[in-house]
Amino acid sequence: MTVEGKTGAEGARELQINKNASGYCDSPDLRHRELRGGEFWKRIPAYANVPEEMFNDHKWQLKNSITSVDKLLETLADIVSQEFYNDAKAGFAKAPMAVRVSPYALALMNWDDPYHDPLRRQFIPIASSLTPDHPELHLDTLQEQNDSAVFGLTHRYPDKALFLALDICPVYCRYCTRSYAVGFDTDEVSKVKLAQDDKRYQQIFEYVRTQPQLEDIVISGGDAYMLRPSRLKMIGETLLDIPHVQRLRFATKGPAIMPMKLISDQEWYDAVRFVVDKGRKLHKEVVIHTHFSHPDEITEISKRAMDRCMEDGITVRNQAVLQRGVNDEPDTMILLTRRLSYINVHPYYVYMHDLVKGVEDLRTSVQNGINIEKAVRGSTAGFNTPNVVVDAPGGGGKRVVHSYEYYNRETGISVYAAPTVKKDRLFLYFDPFDQLSEDIRAAWRDPKKREEMKNEALAEAQKNVDAAWA
Ligand SMILES: *Cc1c(COP(=O)(O)O)cnc(C)c1O
C-alpha cells in the first residue's frame, strides 16, 4: 500500500486505518510468495555437480528418476542413515505401488529429517510407518472398472467421462487410487494393462461419438505427461472434432514434480498448446488438471512453467489429496492454496484420501477434512477456494465432505447419497483404521459386528434422507 510513496506501516498511519476493520495491515502473511530458488539440488550427493541447464532438462529428469532402493542409496549416498535405507528397502518390497521419483522431487525433500518430510511420505514407502489396512479396503474401491462403458472409459456421470489413456506416470504416488492399473507390477499386485493402443482408443472415440450427452472428457491414466506429442495431439483433435464434446482436460501430475518439462520439452508443450488453441477457435475449453499436494512442491521453476502457460492462455487447475502428515494442518493447506493461486493455478479440489491398500498411514478422517475446509474457506478468493470432496467408494462419485447423510465418529463410518449418479443408493466411507478405538477395531475384525455397524449407519442415513426429502 502506498501513500505518496510511503509504504506499509508508515503509510497506514497517515491513512488512519480503522484497526477494527482490518487486523492484517501490520503483519501480512506473505509466505506464499517466497518460492524456493537457487541450485537446491546440489545438496544431493549425486547432483552436486549437475549444472542448472542439465537439471532443467526433462530428459535428464526422466533418465535419473529413482525406481529402486539401490538407485536411492546411490543417489543419496551418505546423507541417509543405514537405518533409513533398511526401512526403505523393506518399504519398497511391501508397497502395492511401483516406485518412481523424479530428481526434482527428491531434491525438494529434507534429507536431514526424511521420516517427517511431506514429499518423502508421498513417494518413498518405508516399512516402519505401515499400519494395518482397514478391513473394508480393496483394490479399485471406486469401482472404475464396473462403471466402464468400454475398456478404459469410465462413464459414471451423465455428461462427463474419464478416459484412461495410458498406465504410466513420470512419478508414482504411494497413494494412487488407480494402483489396480497404474505402474509396473509389484510383488503385491499384478495390474490391469491400459495400453497406448490405437485400436483401444478407436473404440473409446466411437463410444463417445454415440453418446450425445457426453460434453466433458477427462484424459487421464496414468499421466498425460507420458503421452507422445503426436498421440496427445491425435487424442485432443479427435475428441474436439466430435460436435457434442465441449470440454477436455488433460490430467497430469507433471507440473508438480517435473515442471521443467513445460519449458524444455518444446514438442510436448506445443502439442498441448495446439489442442488448446484449436479448442478455443471451436469455442471449446481445453485445460490441464494437475496435482500439487504440498507448498514445498512449488518453486521458482514451477512459477516459470506456469507463467508460460499463463502467457499462452493455458488454464491449469489443481486437485490435491488430503494426507496425514503431509497437508492435514490448516496452515499447510492455506499456504498451498495461496501459493497455487499466486502461480495462477486454480485450487479446484482437495480429495479425501481414497481407500487404497498399503497407505493407511496417509489417510485422515472425515472430521479432519471438514476442519480443513472450514480453515481454508475465507483465507483467499472464493473462486480459488477448493472443494473438499470424498470420492464415494463403490462408484458414488465425488461428494462434498460435509454433505454426508450420517457420520458416526466412533465407528468411523460416513454415509453419502449420490442422487444424480446412482439414485436410491447409499455409499459408505471409512475413517482410518489405526485412529479408531481398540474396541471398535476389534468389532471391525468380527464379521458379524462389522455388518451390524454398517447396517446401523445405513439405517440412520436412510432416516435422514427420508426426513430431508419428506
Ligand atoms: C472425477 C471424475 C470425473 C470428473 O469430475 P469433476 O467433478 O467434473 O471434476 C469424471 N468421471 C469420473 C469417473 C471421475 O472420477
Side-chain angles (χ1 to χ4, degrees), residues 125-149:
I126 53 174
S128 63
S129 73
L130 293 178
T131 62
D133 282 342
H134 197 292
E136 288 289 327
L137 206 151
H138 29 84
L139 276 181
D140 190 17
T141 38
L142 300 182
Q143 296 200 7
E144 293 185 332
Q145 294 172 93
N146 273 4
D147 281 345
S148 286

Side-chain angles (χ1 to χ4, degrees), residues 26 48 51 62 120 172 181 218-219 248-249 253 293 319-320 341 418 463:
D26 290 336
L62 273 175
R120 198 284 304 155
Y172 292 121
V218 180
I219 301 139
L248 299 184
R249 335 176 194 175
K253 177 136 181 110
S293 284
Q319 311 189 169
S341 310
K463 269 193 242 167

Side-chain angles (χ1 to χ4, degrees), residues 132-138 355 360 363 365-366 393 406-415 427-458:
D133 282 342
H134 197 292
E136 288 289 327
L137 206 151
H138 29 84
L355 301 172
E360 198 66 356
R363 294 208 303 121
S365 64
V366 160
Y406 176 72
Y407 180 27
N408 184 331
R409 288 162 181 78
E410 207 184 345
T411 61
I413 304 178
S414 45
V415 188
F427 299 87
L428 303 177
Y429 180 81
F430 308 98
D431 284 349
F433 196 57
D434 63 298
Q435 292 188 328
L436 304 172
S437 73
E438 187 113 12
D439 287 353
I440 295 291
R441 284 204 303 266
W444 273 114
R445 290 196 189 98
D446 176 335
K448 191 161 153 269
K449 289 190 182 144
R450 183 166 156 184
E451 285 315 301
E452 280 168 14
M453 289 190 293
K454 286 176 15 184
N455 288 337
E456 183 254 6
L458 287 168

Side-chain angles (χ1 to χ4, degrees), residues 49-67:
N49 298 314
V50 172
E52 183 169 1
E53 225 179 86
M54 193 184 271
F55 189 77
N56 282 339
D57 177 353
H58 67 284
K59 288 197 291 291
W60 183 87
Q61 288 282 330
L62 273 175
K63 209 170 86 200
N64 288 280
S65 291
I66 311 291
T67 52

Side-chain angles (χ1 to χ4, degrees), residues 148-352:
S148 286
V150 284
F151 181 66
L153 189 93
T154 304
H155 187 183
R156 167 174 301 151
Y157 301 93
D159 70 348
K160 57 190 178 187
L162 169 67
F163 171 15
L164 302 178
L166 71 174
D167 55 18
I168 50 172
C169 302
V171 301
Y172 292 121
C173 307
R174 284 181 57 212
Y175 51 89
C176 182
T177 192
R178 222 156 276 143
S179 54
Y180 68 85
V182 168
F184 37 88
D185 290 352
T186 62
D187 293 351
E188 293 289 314
V189 183
S190 140
K191 318 217 158 186
V192 177
K193 302 282 181 289
L194 298 163
Q196 299 185 53
D197 165 7
D198 285 338
K199 236 168 76 192
R200 184 171 81 86
Y201 289 173
Q202 290 312 326
Q203 286 190 334
I204 286 170
F205 299 145
E206 203 42 50
Y207 176 77
V208 175
R209 280 187 199 103
T210 64
Q211 300 295 308
Q213 77 279 25
L214 272 182
E215 294 185 353
D216 183 346
I217 310 293
V218 180
I219 301 139
S220 186
D223 190 306
Y225 242 40
M226 304 300 269
L227 284 171
R228 261 195 275 122
S230 57
R231 189 164 268 143
L232 186 148
K233 219 166 132 178
M234 181 278 287
I235 292 174
E237 284 205 275
T238 309
L239 289 170
L240 283 175
D241 284 339
I242 300 174
H244 52 265
V245 170
Q246 275 297 125
R247 293 174 292 279
L248 299 184
R249 335 176 194 175
F250 286 100
T252 169
K253 177 136 181 110
I257 47 75
M258 207 182 282
M260 54 281 287
K261 180 178 164 95
L262 294 168
I263 300 165
S264 69
D265 193 346
Q266 190 65 41
E267 236 193 304
W268 191 88
Y269 183 81
D270 281 346
V272 174
R273 201 174 50 175
F274 176 88
V275 181
V276 171
D277 288 346
K278 175 173 169 133
R280 190 180 300 117
K281 289 194 190 91
L282 294 167
H283 311 145
K284 299 184 176 192
E285 182 188 72
V286 180
V287 304
I288 292 179
H289 275 212
T290 192
H291 174 28
F292 289 92
S293 284
H294 192 278
D296 286 359
E297 294 157 9
I298 304 172
T299 63
E300 286 184 356
I301 306 173
S302 337
K303 175 128 177 28
R304 283 202 294 277
M306 292 303 103
D307 284 351
R308 188 171 196 206
C309 291
M310 184 71 180
E311 284 172 31
D312 290 321
I314 303 174
T315 297
V316 184
R317 302 193 189 111
N318 191 65
Q319 311 189 169
V321 171
L322 187 63
Q323 297 161 78
R324 203 193 309 176
V326 173
N327 56 12
D328 62 337
E329 295 291 335
D331 190 57
T332 312
M333 195 55 87
I334 290 171
L335 186 57
L336 173 66
T337 306
R338 288 189 175 147
R339 197 166 277 173
L340 286 168
S341 310
Y342 180 59
I343 62 167
N344 296 307
V345 174
H346 294 205
Y348 173 41
Y349 278 142
V350 171
Y351 285 93
M352 292 303 295

Side-chain angles (χ1 to χ4, degrees), residues 92-107:
F92 272 58
K94 285 189 184 148
M97 196 58 202
V99 177
R100 182 186 267 160
V101 191
S102 60
Y104 173 78
L106 193 85

